Amino acid sequence: MVNRRISSDIKEHALDLWNAGWSSEDICYIFHVSPRSLYRWRAIFEEFGTVTKPPSHLRGCERLVSLAVLNAAKAIFFHDASVMLDELQWYLAIHHDLAISISALQATLVRAGLTRKMLRKIAVERDEVSREDYDGCVRDPDTFSGTGMEFVAVDESSKDERTLARHYGRSPIGLPAEYVHEFIRHDRYTLTAAMSTQGYIATRIVEGSMDAYEFFDFIVEDVIPEMKPYPDAQSVLVLDNCRIHHTDLLQEVLNENGKL
C-alpha cells in the first residue's frame, strides 16, 4: 500500500469523532485510515497539542554553497571550461568569502550537473582561408614542407602560468567542454642528414620546415660531393618515401653524376 499524505483537518476531525464516542472501526472506515494511524495521531496531540508532529531540531550541516555561488561557478566554467578546482576554490574564498574543501566542491559541481570531460580545444587564430591554402600546399609535392626532424624552440616566458596544455574541463551534462586558446608558433628548426654505415656524411639545419627546393640544394651541394661513382663505396643514395625527395630533376642530376 502506497503511503498517502493526510491533511491535518482530517486528523483533527477523526479525533473529534473519537472523543465524541464514535468507534475506531467506523472512523477508520469513513476516512480510509488504519487504527494505528488513529492511535498515533492521538499520542502526538497529547504530547504536542497538535495533530502534526513539529519538525525535529536535529538537522545536518547548513548548506555552504548558495544559489548565487553556484551560478557564479557555472558562469566561470561557461567562459573557461579548463578552470581547475583549486582555482575555483580560491575564487570562492576571495570573492564570496566561502571556505570549502576540494572534495565538497567536487560533489557540489557533480550534483549541479557540471561533469568533468575531455577538453575540445579551439584555436583563436584559426583562419579558414589559410587552412585552404595549407591544404593546397600539402597536395603539391614541389612546395610541401615536411622532411627531416622538426624541433620547436619554446620561449619559457610565453608558457601558460598554469600548464602548457590542459586536457580536461567541466561543462553541463550533454554539452562539450570547449577551450578557446591562443596557439603560439615558436621558432622551429628542421634537421636533415645523410648517413652511411660509417656515420654522417652531410647535415643541414634550416629554420622552419624544409621544402623541395631546399632539399634539392642539400643533396646537390652537400651530399653529392661526398659520394663516389658506382660501384665504389658511398655510390648509392637511398631516400625514404617523402614526396619531395622523388623529383625528376633530382633523379637527372644523380644520374649525370653517376649516382643511383
Side-chain angles (χ1 to χ4, degrees):
M1 180 178 179
V2 180
N3 294 330
R4 62 188 180 96
R5 185 177 184 279
I6 302 175
S7 64
S8 58
D9 294 338
I10 294 178
K11 296 177 182 179
E12 292 176 356
H13 287 306
L15 293 180
D16 291 339
L17 293 177
W18 200 6
N19 294 330
W22 284 52
S23 64
S24 59
E25 291 79 5
D26 295 337
I27 297 174
C28 294
Y29 176 79
I30 294 173
F31 293 103
H32 299 284
V33 296
S34 64
R36 295 181 58 184
S37 299
L38 195 61
Y39 283 100
R40 185 173 63 255
W41 298 341
R42 187 171 66 176
I44 294 175
F45 183 80
E46 293 176 352
E47 182 177 359
F48 300 102
T50 177
V51 294
T52 303
K53 188 176 181 179
S56 176
H57 297 287
L58 299 177
R59 297 186 179 182
C61 298
E62 183 179 358
R63 184 180 296 272
L64 294 177
V65 181
S66 62
L67 182 59
V69 173
L70 188 58
N71 290 334
K74 290 182 178 180
I76 290 175
F77 285 111
F78 176 78
H79 292 288
D80 187 0
S82 65
V83 173
M84 294 185 175
L85 291 181
D86 57 344
E87 297 170 343
L88 181 60
Q89 184 185 36
W90 275 103
Y91 172 83
L92 296 179
I94 295 174
H95 296 278
H96 293 273
D97 195 21
L98 175 62
I100 185 172
S101 63
I102 295 293
S103 59
L105 187 58
Q106 160 70 13
T108 302
L109 294 178
V110 171
R111 288 196 298 267
L114 292 171
T115 57
R116 184 172 180 266
K117 59 194 69 174
M118 290 287 293
L119 275 175
R120 177 187 175 187
K121 299 180 182 179
I122 303 175
V124 175
E125 308 87 348
R126 179 167 178 171
D127 186 357
E128 297 300 333
V129 177
S130 300
R131 288 175 64 86
E132 292 178 0
D133 295 340
Y134 173 76
D135 292 339
C137 177
V138 169
R139 296 186 180 92
D140 188 356
D142 294 333
T143 58
F144 172 62
S145 57
T147 180
M149 297 179 293
E150 188 171 338
F151 292 83
V152 181
V154 179
D155 183 6
E156 295 294 334
S157 61
S158 63
K159 288 185 178 181
D160 190 343
E161 293 180 356
R162 302 173 299 186
T163 56
L164 282 177
R166 298 193 173 190
H167 302 287
Y168 293 93
R170 292 181 183 274
S171 64
I173 297 176
L175 297 178
E178 297 180 344
Y179 178 47
V180 180
H181 181 63
E182 182 178 358
F183 292 90
I184 302 175
R185 291 187 63 88
H186 305 281
D187 296 335
R188 294 172 179 264
Y189 298 90
T190 300
L191 280 63
T192 304
M195 61 181 180
S196 66
T197 56
Q198 305 300 322
Y200 291 100
I201 63 175
T203 60
R204 178 174 292 191
I205 301 174
V206 297
E207 184 176 358
S209 298
M210 178 174 287
D211 56 15
Y213 305 107
E214 184 73 29
F215 181 76
F216 178 83
D217 183 75
F218 167 69
I219 295 296
V220 174
E221 299 296 334
D222 299 342
V223 178
I224 291 180
E226 301 295 331
M227 299 181 66
K228 299 178 181 179
Y230 184 80
D232 293 339
Q234 296 184 182
S235 61
V236 178
L237 181 63
V238 180
L239 303 176
D240 59 22
N241 59 353
C242 183
R243 296 180 65 181
I244 69 170
H245 293 175
H246 304 275
T247 60
D248 295 336
L249 180 59
L250 179 60
Q251 184 175 0
E252 294 177 2
V253 172
L254 293 174
N255 291 334
E256 290 176 358
N257 288 271
K259 311 298 186 299
L260 299 181

